[in-house]
Amino acid sequence: MSVRVRRVYESPEPEDGVRVLVDRLWPRGLSKDAARVDEWPKALTPSTELRRWYHAGEGSYEEFARRYEAELAEPEAAELLDHVRELTAKGPVTLLTSAKTPEESHAAVLVRLLG
């Protein structure tokens, strides 16, 4: 199983495999052609409320990750997480995010849960 995280603004690479955008909002200033996104499962991304709470600096990353994992346990998100897990069984998957620090973002939580 090969899952990696890259910023969506980085140029696509052949070893990316299936490119999955894991942000709820489309990245600013990026065309869909340039992004070369294969899948965009919006229900797998943090809720608008959680995203706003975290970006407002009201809590720690650990608390954000805990709340996000609770959201991922909901049926629609859990189904999408299983789908991405199935993709990883078939080949490399790259989770794309516009987060400036992907290692402290929802993408890192997804990588941990997919592993």
Side-chain angles (χ1 to χ4, degrees):
M1 178 179 77
S2 174
V3 180
R4 69 179 182 163
V5 176
R6 297 186 66 216
R7 292 200 70 225
V8 70
Y9 299 106
E10 297 176 54
S11 296
E13 296 178 351
E15 56 272 3
D16 284 348
V18 178
R19 293 170 55 87
V20 180
L21 179 63
V22 294
D23 289 350
R24 187 165 295 260
L25 304 174
W26 188 262
R28 291 182 185 197
L30 188 64
S31 73
K32 292 190 180 190
D33 286 341
R36 295 213 338 241
V37 169
D38 297 309
E39 298 198 18
W40 186 17
K42 292 180 189 176
L44 186 64
T45 66
S47 67
T48 299
E49 296 80 20
L50 181 58
R51 186 175 43 80
R52 287 181 179 159
W53 173 83
Y54 184 53
H55 291 295
E58 297 178 19
S60 66
Y61 174 72
E62 292 75 21
E63 177 66 13
F64 166 78
R66 187 188 66 69
R67 291 182 183 194
Y68 181 41
E69 285 183 43
E71 289 185 356
L72 290 170
E74 294 297 319
E76 186 178 7
E79 187 177 317
L80 288 169
L81 187 61
D82 286 342
H83 171 69
V84 175
R85 205 174 270 123
E86 290 169 7
L87 292 174
T88 65
K90 297 175 184 173
V93 172
T94 300
L95 303 180
L96 302 169
T97 182
S98 61
K100 291 180 183 170
T101 53
E103 63 278 358
E104 286 189 358
S105 75
H106 61 290
V109 174
L110 289 172
V111 168
R112 184 168 39 82
L113 293 176
L114 290 167

